[in-house]
mmCIF file with all atom_site columns, all heavy atoms in Angstrom:
data_model
loop_
_atom_site.group_PDB
_atom_site.id
_atom_site.type_symbol
_atom_site.label_atom_id
_atom_site.label_alt_id
_atom_site.label_comp_id
_atom_site.label_asym_id
_atom_site.label_entity_id
_atom_site.label_seq_id
_atom_site.pdbx_PDB_ins_code
_atom_site.Cartn_x
_atom_site.Cartn_y
_atom_site.Cartn_z
_atom_site.occupancy
_atom_site.B_iso_or_equiv
_atom_site.pdbx_formal_charge
_atom_site.auth_seq_id
_atom_site.auth_comp_id
_atom_site.auth_asym_id
_atom_site.auth_atom_id
_atom_site.pdbx_PDB_model_num
ATOM 1   N N   . ILE A 1 78  ? -235.213 68.243 -22.196 1.00 95.00 ? 78  ILE A N   1
ATOM 2   C CA  . ILE A 1 78  ? -234.513 69.444 -22.638 1.00 95.00 ? 78  ILE A CA  1
ATOM 3   C C   . ILE A 1 78  ? -235.144 69.896 -23.947 1.00 95.00 ? 78  ILE A C   1
ATOM 4   O O   . ILE A 1 78  ? -235.819 69.116 -24.630 1.00 95.00 ? 78  ILE A O   1
ATOM 5   C CB  . ILE A 1 78  ? -232.986 69.227 -22.812 1.00 95.00 ? 78  ILE A CB  1
ATOM 6   C CG1 . ILE A 1 78  ? -232.681 68.200 -23.904 1.00 95.00 ? 78  ILE A CG1 1
ATOM 7   C CG2 . ILE A 1 78  ? -232.342 68.862 -21.491 1.00 95.00 ? 78  ILE A CG2 1
ATOM 8   C CD1 . ILE A 1 78  ? -231.202 68.058 -24.236 1.00 95.00 ? 78  ILE A CD1 1
ATOM 9   N N   . GLU A 1 79  ? -234.908 71.156 -24.290 1.00 97.00 ? 79  GLU A N   1
ATOM 10  C CA  . GLU A 1 79  ? -235.442 71.699 -25.537 1.00 97.00 ? 79  GLU A CA  1
ATOM 11  C C   . GLU A 1 79  ? -234.401 72.588 -26.198 1.00 97.00 ? 79  GLU A C   1
ATOM 12  O O   . GLU A 1 79  ? -233.554 73.180 -25.517 1.00 97.00 ? 79  GLU A O   1
ATOM 13  C CB  . GLU A 1 79  ? -236.732 72.480 -25.287 1.00 97.00 ? 79  GLU A CB  1
ATOM 14  C CG  . GLU A 1 79  ? -236.568 73.674 -24.376 1.00 97.00 ? 79  GLU A CG  1
ATOM 15  C CD  . GLU A 1 79  ? -237.891 74.323 -23.990 1.00 97.00 ? 79  GLU A CD  1
ATOM 16  O OE1 . GLU A 1 79  ? -238.951 73.728 -24.188 1.00 97.00 ? 79  GLU A OE1 1
ATOM 17  O OE2 . GLU A 1 79  ? -237.828 75.452 -23.453 1.00 97.00 ? 79  GLU A OE2 1
ATOM 18  N N   . HIS A 1 80  ? -234.489 72.664 -27.501 1.00 97.00 ? 80  HIS A N   1
ATOM 19  C CA  . HIS A 1 80  ? -233.575 73.495 -28.281 1.00 97.00 ? 80  HIS A CA  1
ATOM 20  C C   . HIS A 1 80  ? -233.972 74.951 -28.103 1.00 97.00 ? 80  HIS A C   1
ATOM 21  O O   . HIS A 1 80  ? -235.150 75.286 -28.089 1.00 97.00 ? 80  HIS A O   1
ATOM 22  C CB  . HIS A 1 80  ? -233.659 73.079 -29.756 1.00 97.00 ? 80  HIS A CB  1
ATOM 23  C CG  . HIS A 1 80  ? -232.530 73.567 -30.571 1.00 97.00 ? 80  HIS A CG  1
ATOM 24  N ND1 . HIS A 1 80  ? -232.529 74.809 -31.150 1.00 97.00 ? 80  HIS A ND1 1
ATOM 25  C CD2 . HIS A 1 80  ? -231.357 72.984 -30.898 1.00 97.00 ? 80  HIS A CD2 1
ATOM 26  C CE1 . HIS A 1 80  ? -231.393 74.965 -31.809 1.00 97.00 ? 80  HIS A CE1 1
ATOM 27  N NE2 . HIS A 1 80  ? -230.657 73.875 -31.684 1.00 97.00 ? 80  HIS A NE2 1
ATOM 28  N N   . THR A 1 81  ? -232.977 75.811 -27.956 1.00 97.00 ? 81  THR A N   1
ATOM 29  C CA  . THR A 1 81  ? -233.256 77.241 -27.772 1.00 97.00 ? 81  THR A CA  1
ATOM 30  C C   . THR A 1 81  ? -233.493 77.956 -29.096 1.00 97.00 ? 81  THR A C   1
ATOM 31  O O   . THR A 1 81  ? -233.916 79.109 -29.101 1.00 97.00 ? 81  THR A O   1
ATOM 32  C CB  . THR A 1 81  ? -232.076 77.943 -27.076 1.00 97.00 ? 81  THR A CB  1
ATOM 33  O OG1 . THR A 1 81  ? -230.928 77.861 -27.927 1.00 97.00 ? 81  THR A OG1 1
ATOM 34  C CG2 . THR A 1 81  ? -231.792 77.341 -25.716 1.00 97.00 ? 81  THR A CG2 1
ATOM 35  N N   . GLY A 1 82  ? -233.188 77.273 -30.199 1.00 97.00 ? 82  GLY A N   1
ATOM 36  C CA  . GLY A 1 82  ? -233.264 77.907 -31.508 1.00 97.00 ? 82  GLY A CA  1
ATOM 37  C C   . GLY A 1 82  ? -231.937 78.519 -31.928 1.00 97.00 ? 82  GLY A C   1
ATOM 38  O O   . GLY A 1 82  ? -231.803 79.042 -33.022 1.00 97.00 ? 82  GLY A O   1
ATOM 39  N N   . ARG A 1 83  ? -230.958 78.446 -31.038 1.00 97.00 ? 83  ARG A N   1
ATOM 40  C CA  . ARG A 1 83  ? -229.631 78.984 -31.346 1.00 97.00 ? 83  ARG A CA  1
ATOM 41  C C   . ARG A 1 83  ? -228.639 77.848 -31.574 1.00 97.00 ? 83  ARG A C   1
ATOM 42  O O   . ARG A 1 83  ? -228.842 76.738 -31.084 1.00 97.00 ? 83  ARG A O   1
ATOM 43  C CB  . ARG A 1 83  ? -229.129 79.859 -30.193 1.00 97.00 ? 83  ARG A CB  1
ATOM 44  C CG  . ARG A 1 83  ? -229.953 81.106 -29.989 1.00 97.00 ? 83  ARG A CG  1
ATOM 45  C CD  . ARG A 1 83  ? -229.397 82.078 -28.944 1.00 97.00 ? 83  ARG A CD  1
ATOM 46  N NE  . ARG A 1 83  ? -228.919 81.468 -27.714 1.00 97.00 ? 83  ARG A NE  1
ATOM 47  C CZ  . ARG A 1 83  ? -227.624 81.367 -27.368 1.00 97.00 ? 83  ARG A CZ  1
ATOM 48  N NH1 . ARG A 1 83  ? -226.674 81.801 -28.141 1.00 97.00 ? 83  ARG A NH1 1
ATOM 49  N NH2 . ARG A 1 83  ? -227.294 80.832 -26.204 1.00 97.00 ? 83  ARG A NH2 1
ATOM 50  N N   . VAL A 1 84  ? -227.574 78.150 -32.310 1.00 96.00 ? 84  VAL A N   1
ATOM 51  C CA  . VAL A 1 84  ? -226.471 77.211 -32.514 1.00 96.00 ? 84  VAL A CA  1
ATOM 52  C C   . VAL A 1 84  ? -225.161 77.943 -32.260 1.00 96.00 ? 84  VAL A C   1
ATOM 53  O O   . VAL A 1 84  ? -225.094 79.161 -32.349 1.00 96.00 ? 84  VAL A O   1
ATOM 54  C CB  . VAL A 1 84  ? -226.470 76.595 -33.932 1.00 96.00 ? 84  VAL A CB  1
ATOM 55  C CG1 . VAL A 1 84  ? -227.684 75.718 -34.152 1.00 96.00 ? 84  VAL A CG1 1
ATOM 56  C CG2 . VAL A 1 84  ? -226.381 77.665 -35.002 1.00 96.00 ? 84  VAL A CG2 1
ATOM 57  N N   . VAL A 1 85  ? -224.131 77.173 -31.928 1.00 96.00 ? 85  VAL A N   1
ATOM 58  C CA  . VAL A 1 85  ? -222.779 77.696 -31.737 1.00 96.00 ? 85  VAL A CA  1
ATOM 59  C C   . VAL A 1 85  ? -221.818 76.798 -32.484 1.00 96.00 ? 85  VAL A C   1
ATOM 60  O O   . VAL A 1 85  ? -222.106 75.619 -32.704 1.00 96.00 ? 85  VAL A O   1
ATOM 61  C CB  . VAL A 1 85  ? -222.398 77.769 -30.236 1.00 96.00 ? 85  VAL A CB  1
ATOM 62  C CG1 . VAL A 1 85  ? -223.265 78.759 -29.490 1.00 96.00 ? 85  VAL A CG1 1
ATOM 63  C CG2 . VAL A 1 85  ? -222.476 76.395 -29.584 1.00 96.00 ? 85  VAL A CG2 1
ATOM 64  N N   . PRO A 1 86  ? -220.663 77.320 -32.898 1.00 94.00 ? 86  PRO A N   1
ATOM 65  C CA  . PRO A 1 86  ? -219.690 76.450 -33.564 1.00 94.00 ? 86  PRO A CA  1
ATOM 66  C C   . PRO A 1 86  ? -219.027 75.519 -32.552 1.00 94.00 ? 86  PRO A C   1
ATOM 67  O O   . PRO A 1 86  ? -218.771 75.895 -31.410 1.00 94.00 ? 86  PRO A O   1
ATOM 68  C CB  . PRO A 1 86  ? -218.673 77.436 -34.151 1.00 94.00 ? 86  PRO A CB  1
ATOM 69  C CG  . PRO A 1 86  ? -218.819 78.689 -33.358 1.00 94.00 ? 86  PRO A CG  1
ATOM 70  C CD  . PRO A 1 86  ? -220.233 78.715 -32.860 1.00 94.00 ? 86  PRO A CD  1
ATOM 71  N N   . SER A 1 87  ? -218.758 74.310 -32.987 1.00 92.00 ? 87  SER A N   1
ATOM 72  C CA  . SER A 1 87  ? -218.070 73.348 -32.126 1.00 92.00 ? 87  SER A CA  1
ATOM 73  C C   . SER A 1 87  ? -216.651 73.823 -31.857 1.00 92.00 ? 87  SER A C   1
ATOM 74  O O   . SER A 1 87  ? -215.982 74.358 -32.731 1.00 92.00 ? 87  SER A O   1
ATOM 75  C CB  . SER A 1 87  ? -218.029 71.979 -32.804 1.00 92.00 ? 87  SER A CB  1
ATOM 76  O OG  . SER A 1 87  ? -217.230 71.090 -32.045 1.00 92.00 ? 87  SER A OG  1
ATOM 77  N N   . THR A 1 88  ? -216.205 73.614 -30.632 1.00 89.00 ? 88  THR A N   1
ATOM 78  C CA  . THR A 1 88  ? -214.826 73.938 -30.275 1.00 89.00 ? 88  THR A CA  1
ATOM 79  C C   . THR A 1 88  ? -213.907 72.739 -30.449 1.00 89.00 ? 88  THR A C   1
ATOM 80  O O   . THR A 1 88  ? -212.706 72.852 -30.248 1.00 89.00 ? 88  THR A O   1
ATOM 81  C CB  . THR A 1 88  ? -214.745 74.436 -28.819 1.00 89.00 ? 88  THR A CB  1
ATOM 82  O OG1 . THR A 1 88  ? -215.297 73.429 -27.954 1.00 89.00 ? 88  THR A OG1 1
ATOM 83  C CG2 . THR A 1 88  ? -215.504 75.734 -28.642 1.00 89.00 ? 88  THR A CG2 1
ATOM 84  N N   . LEU A 1 89  ? -214.462 71.605 -30.841 1.00 84.00 ? 89  LEU A N   1
ATOM 85  C CA  . LEU A 1 89  ? -213.668 70.405 -31.072 1.00 84.00 ? 89  LEU A CA  1
ATOM 86  C C   . LEU A 1 89  ? -212.987 70.543 -32.426 1.00 84.00 ? 89  LEU A C   1
ATOM 87  O O   . LEU A 1 89  ? -213.645 70.693 -33.449 1.00 84.00 ? 89  LEU A O   1
ATOM 88  C CB  . LEU A 1 89  ? -214.579 69.166 -31.027 1.00 84.00 ? 89  LEU A CB  1
ATOM 89  C CG  . LEU A 1 89  ? -213.922 67.815 -30.986 1.00 84.00 ? 89  LEU A CG  1
ATOM 90  C CD1 . LEU A 1 89  ? -213.057 67.673 -29.734 1.00 84.00 ? 89  LEU A CD1 1
ATOM 91  C CD2 . LEU A 1 89  ? -214.991 66.736 -30.994 1.00 84.00 ? 89  LEU A CD2 1
ATOM 92  N N   . GLU A 1 90  ? -211.678 70.524 -32.427 1.00 83.00 ? 90  GLU A N   1
ATOM 93  C CA  . GLU A 1 90  ? -210.917 70.795 -33.642 1.00 83.00 ? 90  GLU A CA  1
ATOM 94  C C   . GLU A 1 90  ? -211.285 69.867 -34.804 1.00 83.00 ? 90  GLU A C   1
ATOM 95  O O   . GLU A 1 90  ? -211.371 70.299 -35.953 1.00 83.00 ? 90  GLU A O   1
ATOM 96  C CB  . GLU A 1 90  ? -209.419 70.677 -33.338 1.00 83.00 ? 90  GLU A CB  1
ATOM 97  C CG  . GLU A 1 90  ? -208.552 71.481 -34.262 1.00 83.00 ? 90  GLU A CG  1
ATOM 98  C CD  . GLU A 1 90  ? -207.125 71.523 -33.780 1.00 83.00 ? 90  GLU A CD  1
ATOM 99  O OE1 . GLU A 1 90  ? -206.877 72.094 -32.702 1.00 83.00 ? 90  GLU A OE1 1
ATOM 100 O OE2 . GLU A 1 90  ? -206.270 70.983 -34.499 1.00 83.00 ? 90  GLU A OE2 1
ATOM 101 N N   . SER A 1 91  ? -211.544 68.613 -34.498 1.00 81.00 ? 91  SER A N   1
ATOM 102 C CA  . SER A 1 91  ? -211.820 67.638 -35.561 1.00 81.00 ? 91  SER A CA  1
ATOM 103 C C   . SER A 1 91  ? -213.143 67.878 -36.280 1.00 81.00 ? 91  SER A C   1
ATOM 104 O O   . SER A 1 91  ? -213.379 67.345 -37.354 1.00 81.00 ? 91  SER A O   1
ATOM 105 C CB  . SER A 1 91  ? -211.801 66.218 -34.990 1.00 81.00 ? 91  SER A CB  1
ATOM 106 O OG  . SER A 1 91  ? -212.824 66.067 -34.023 1.00 81.00 ? 91  SER A OG  1
ATOM 107 N N   . THR A 1 92  ? -214.022 68.700 -35.713 1.00 79.00 ? 92  THR A N   1
ATOM 108 C CA  . THR A 1 92  ? -215.322 68.955 -36.345 1.00 79.00 ? 92  THR A CA  1
ATOM 109 C C   . THR A 1 92  ? -215.311 70.172 -37.254 1.00 79.00 ? 92  THR A C   1
ATOM 110 O O   . THR A 1 92  ? -216.300 70.451 -37.931 1.00 79.00 ? 92  THR A O   1
ATOM 111 C CB  . THR A 1 92  ? -216.424 69.157 -35.285 1.00 79.00 ? 92  THR A CB  1
ATOM 112 O OG1 . THR A 1 92  ? -216.108 70.321 -34.530 1.00 79.00 ? 92  THR A OG1 1
ATOM 113 C CG2 . THR A 1 92  ? -216.560 67.955 -34.381 1.00 79.00 ? 92  THR A CG2 1
ATOM 114 N N   . HIS A 1 93  ? -214.197 70.903 -37.265 1.00 81.00 ? 93  HIS A N   1
ATOM 115 C CA  . HIS A 1 93  ? -214.051 72.070 -38.141 1.00 81.00 ? 93  HIS A CA  1
ATOM 116 C C   . HIS A 1 93  ? -215.189 73.076 -37.954 1.00 81.00 ? 93  HIS A C   1
ATOM 117 O O   . HIS A 1 93  ? -215.739 73.597 -38.917 1.00 81.00 ? 93  HIS A O   1
ATOM 118 C CB  . HIS A 1 93  ? -213.946 71.650 -39.604 1.00 81.00 ? 93  HIS A CB  1
ATOM 119 C CG  . HIS A 1 93  ? -212.871 70.646 -39.841 1.00 81.00 ? 93  HIS A CG  1
ATOM 120 N ND1 . HIS A 1 93  ? -211.529 70.967 -39.788 1.00 81.00 ? 93  HIS A ND1 1
ATOM 121 C CD2 . HIS A 1 93  ? -212.926 69.322 -40.105 1.00 81.00 ? 93  HIS A CD2 1
ATOM 122 C CE1 . HIS A 1 93  ? -210.814 69.882 -40.026 1.00 81.00 ? 93  HIS A CE1 1
ATOM 123 N NE2 . HIS A 1 93  ? -211.626 68.873 -40.209 1.00 81.00 ? 93  HIS A NE2 1
ATOM 124 N N   . GLY A 1 94  ? -215.569 73.334 -36.708 1.00 80.00 ? 94  GLY A N   1
ATOM 125 C CA  . GLY A 1 94  ? -216.586 74.342 -36.419 1.00 80.00 ? 94  GLY A CA  1
ATOM 126 C C   . GLY A 1 94  ? -218.010 73.927 -36.720 1.00 80.00 ? 94  GLY A C   1
ATOM 127 O O   . GLY A 1 94  ? -218.889 74.774 -36.868 1.00 80.00 ? 94  GLY A O   1
ATOM 128 N N   . HIS A 1 95  ? -218.275 72.619 -36.792 1.00 90.00 ? 95  HIS A N   1
ATOM 129 C CA  . HIS A 1 95  ? -219.640 72.124 -37.009 1.00 90.00 ? 95  HIS A CA  1
ATOM 130 C C   . HIS A 1 95  ? -220.584 72.822 -36.031 1.00 90.00 ? 95  HIS A C   1
ATOM 131 O O   . HIS A 1 95  ? -220.239 73.089 -34.894 1.00 90.00 ? 95  HIS A O   1
ATOM 132 C CB  . HIS A 1 95  ? -219.646 70.607 -36.791 1.00 90.00 ? 95  HIS A CB  1
ATOM 133 C CG  . HIS A 1 95  ? -220.987 69.974 -36.919 1.00 90.00 ? 95  HIS A CG  1
ATOM 134 N ND1 . HIS A 1 95  ? -221.557 69.704 -38.123 1.00 90.00 ? 95  HIS A ND1 1
ATOM 135 C CD2 . HIS A 1 95  ? -221.860 69.571 -35.975 1.00 90.00 ? 95  HIS A CD2 1
ATOM 136 C CE1 . HIS A 1 95  ? -222.740 69.148 -37.917 1.00 90.00 ? 95  HIS A CE1 1
ATOM 137 N NE2 . HIS A 1 95  ? -222.952 69.063 -36.621 1.00 90.00 ? 95  HIS A NE2 1
ATOM 138 N N   . ARG A 1 96  ? -221.783 73.118 -36.485 1.00 94.00 ? 96  ARG A N   1
ATOM 139 C CA  . ARG A 1 96  ? -222.748 73.834 -35.641 1.00 94.00 ? 96  ARG A CA  1
ATOM 140 C C   . ARG A 1 96  ? -223.390 72.886 -34.628 1.00 94.00 ? 96  ARG A C   1
ATOM 141 O O   . ARG A 1 96  ? -223.833 71.798 -34.977 1.00 94.00 ? 96  ARG A O   1
ATOM 142 C CB  . ARG A 1 96  ? -223.804 74.489 -36.510 1.00 94.00 ? 96  ARG A CB  1
ATOM 143 C CG  . ARG A 1 96  ? -223.203 75.568 -37.366 1.00 94.00 ? 96  ARG A CG  1
ATOM 144 C CD  . ARG A 1 96  ? -224.100 76.124 -38.417 1.00 94.00 ? 96  ARG A CD  1
ATOM 145 N NE  . ARG A 1 96  ? -225.512 75.867 -38.222 1.00 94.00 ? 96  ARG A NE  1
ATOM 146 C CZ  . ARG A 1 96  ? -226.478 76.562 -38.780 1.00 94.00 ? 96  ARG A CZ  1
ATOM 147 N NH1 . ARG A 1 96  ? -226.187 77.548 -39.576 1.00 94.00 ? 96  ARG A NH1 1
ATOM 148 N NH2 . ARG A 1 96  ? -227.730 76.266 -38.575 1.00 94.00 ? 96  ARG A NH2 1
ATOM 149 N N   . LEU A 1 97  ? -223.457 73.344 -33.382 1.00 94.00 ? 97  LEU A N   1
ATOM 150 C CA  . LEU A 1 97  ? -224.056 72.573 -32.288 1.00 94.00 ? 97  LEU A CA  1
ATOM 151 C C   . LEU A 1 97  ? -225.267 73.306 -31.748 1.00 94.00 ? 97  LEU A C   1
ATOM 152 O O   . LEU A 1 97  ? -225.254 74.538 -31.620 1.00 94.00 ? 97  LEU A O   1
ATOM 153 C CB  . LEU A 1 97  ? -223.049 72.400 -31.141 1.00 94.00 ? 97  LEU A CB  1
ATOM 154 C CG  . LEU A 1 97  ? -221.747 71.692 -31.447 1.00 94.00 ? 97  LEU A CG  1
ATOM 155 C CD1 . LEU A 1 97  ? -220.833 71.756 -30.236 1.00 94.00 ? 97  LEU A CD1 1
ATOM 156 C CD2 . LEU A 1 97  ? -222.011 70.252 -31.859 1.00 94.00 ? 97  LEU A CD2 1
ATOM 157 N N   . GLY A 1 98  ? -226.278 72.554 -31.397 1.00 96.00 ? 98  GLY A N   1
ATOM 158 C CA  . GLY A 1 98  ? -227.462 73.139 -30.794 1.00 96.00 ? 98  GLY A CA  1
ATOM 159 C C   . GLY A 1 98  ? -227.183 73.651 -29.391 1.00 96.00 ? 98  GLY A C   1
ATOM 160 O O   . GLY A 1 98  ? -226.337 73.125 -28.679 1.00 96.00 ? 98  GLY A O   1
ATOM 161 N N   . VAL A 1 99  ? -227.906 74.696 -29.029 1.00 97.00 ? 99  VAL A N   1
ATOM 162 C CA  . VAL A 1 99  ? -227.873 75.209 -27.656 1.00 97.00 ? 99  VAL A CA  1
ATOM 163 C C   . VAL A 1 99  ? -229.169 74.746 -27.000 1.00 97.00 ? 99  VAL A C   1
ATOM 164 O O   . VAL A 1 99  ? -230.251 74.898 -27.560 1.00 97.00 ? 99  VAL A O   1
ATOM 165 C CB  . VAL A 1 99  ? -227.745 76.749 -27.630 1.00 97.00 ? 99  VAL A CB  1
ATOM 166 C CG1 . VAL A 1 99  ? -227.791 77.274 -26.205 1.00 97.00 ? 99  VAL A CG1 1
ATOM 167 C CG2 . VAL A 1 99  ? -226.462 77.187 -28.337 1.00 97.00 ? 99  VAL A CG2 1
ATOM 168 N N   . TRP A 1 100 ? -229.051 74.172 -25.813 1.00 97.00 ? 100 TRP A N   1
ATOM 169 C CA  . TRP A 1 100 ? -230.162 73.514 -25.129 1.00 97.00 ? 100 TRP A CA  1
ATOM 170 C C   . TRP A 1 100 ? -230.445 74.172 -23.795 1.00 97.00 ? 100 TRP A C   1
ATOM 171 O O   . TRP A 1 100 ? -229.604 74.848 -23.221 1.00 97.00 ? 100 TRP A O   1
ATOM 172 C CB  . TRP A 1 100 ? -229.823 72.034 -24.917 1.00 97.00 ? 100 TRP A CB  1
ATOM 173 C CG  . TRP A 1 100 ? -229.500 71.342 -26.184 1.00 97.00 ? 100 TRP A CG  1
ATOM 174 C CD1 . TRP A 1 100 ? -228.255 71.165 -26.734 1.00 97.00 ? 100 TRP A CD1 1
ATOM 175 C CD2 . TRP A 1 100 ? -230.417 70.783 -27.108 1.00 97.00 ? 100 TRP A CD2 1
ATOM 176 N NE1 . TRP A 1 100 ? -228.369 70.518 -27.932 1.00 97.00 ? 100 TRP A NE1 1
ATOM 177 C CE2 . TRP A 1 100 ? -229.679 70.269 -28.191 1.00 97.00 ? 100 TRP A CE2 1
ATOM 178 C CE3 . TRP A 1 100 ? -231.810 70.671 -27.126 1.00 97.00 ? 100 TRP A CE3 1
ATOM 179 C CZ2 . TRP A 1 100 ? -230.279 69.646 -29.274 1.00 97.00 ? 100 TRP A CZ2 1
ATOM 180 C CZ3 . TRP A 1 100 ? -232.407 70.044 -28.197 1.00 97.00 ? 100 TRP A CZ3 1
ATOM 181 C CH2 . TRP A 1 100 ? -231.648 69.539 -29.260 1.00 97.00 ? 100 TRP A CH2 1
ATOM 182 N N   . ARG A 1 101 ? -231.638 73.901 -23.276 1.00 97.00 ? 101 ARG A N   1
ATOM 183 C CA  . ARG A 1 101 ? -232.028 74.305 -21.920 1.00 97.00 ? 101 ARG A CA  1
ATOM 184 C C   . ARG A 1 101 ? -233.027 73.260 -21.418 1.00 97.00 ? 101 ARG A C   1
ATOM 185 O O   . ARG A 1 101 ? -233.627 72.522 -22.197 1.00 97.00 ? 101 ARG A O   1
ATOM 186 C CB  . ARG A 1 101 ? -232.649 75.689 -21.916 1.00 97.00 ? 101 ARG A CB  1
ATOM 187 C CG  . ARG A 1 101 ? -233.970 75.753 -22.661 1.00 97.00 ? 101 ARG A CG  1
ATOM 188 C CD  . ARG A 1 101 ? -234.591 77.138 -22.604 1.00 97.00 ? 101 ARG A CD  1
ATOM 189 N NE  . ARG A 1 101 ? -235.634 77.218 -23.613 1.00 97.00 ? 101 ARG A NE  1
ATOM 190 C CZ  . ARG A 1 101 ? -235.718 78.162 -24.530 1.00 97.00 ? 101 ARG A CZ  1
ATOM 191 N NH1 . ARG A 1 101 ? -234.835 79.128 -24.577 1.00 97.00 ? 101 ARG A NH1 1
ATOM 192 N NH2 . ARG A 1 101 ? -236.695 78.156 -25.403 1.00 97.00 ? 101 ARG A NH2 1
ATOM 193 N N   . LEU A 1 102 ? -233.208 73.245 -20.111 1.00 95.00 ? 102 LEU A N   1
ATOM 194 C CA  . LEU A 1 102 ? -234.237 72.359 -19.561 1.00 95.00 ? 102 LEU A CA  1
ATOM 195 C C   . LEU A 1 102 ? -235.600 72.858 -20.024 1.00 95.00 ? 102 LEU A C   1
ATOM 196 O O   . LEU A 1 102 ? -235.860 74.064 -20.052 1.00 95.00 ? 102 LEU A O   1
ATOM 197 C CB  . LEU A 1 102 ? -234.198 72.340 -18.036 1.00 95.00 ? 102 LEU A CB  1
ATOM 198 C CG  . LEU A 1 102 ? -233.034 71.619 -17.365 1.00 95.00 ? 102 LEU A CG  1
ATOM 199 C CD1 . LEU A 1 102 ? -233.231 71.627 -15.856 1.00 95.00 ? 102 LEU A CD1 1
ATOM 200 C CD2 . LEU A 1 102 ? -232.863 70.205 -17.867 1.00 95.00 ? 102 LEU A CD2 1
ATOM 201 N N   . SER A 1 103 ? -236.466 71.937 -20.377 1.00 95.00 ? 103 SER A N   1
ATOM 202 C CA  . SER A 1 103 ? -237.844 72.281 -20.729 1.00 95.00 ? 103 SER A CA  1
ATOM 203 C C   . SER A 1 103 ? -238.643 72.446 -19.439 1.00 95.00 ? 103 SER A C   1
ATOM 204 O O   . SER A 1 103 ? -238.126 72.230 -18.338 1.00 95.00 ? 103 SER A O   1
ATOM 205 C CB  . SER A 1 103 ? -238.446 71.145 -21.564 1.00 95.00 ? 103 SER A CB  1
ATOM 206 O OG  . SER A 1 103 ? -238.534 69.975 -20.761 1.00 95.00 ? 103 SER A OG  1
#
Side-chain angles (χ1 to χ4, degrees):
I78 63 173
E79 61 188 14
H80 196 274
T81 63
R83 295 186 316 108
V84 294
V85 295
S87 173
T88 57
L89 191 61
E90 205 170 295
S91 63
T92 64
H93 306 288
H95 177 79
R96 294 170 18 159
L97 300 174
V99 177
W100 304 93
R101 66 178 165 233
L102 288 184
S103 65

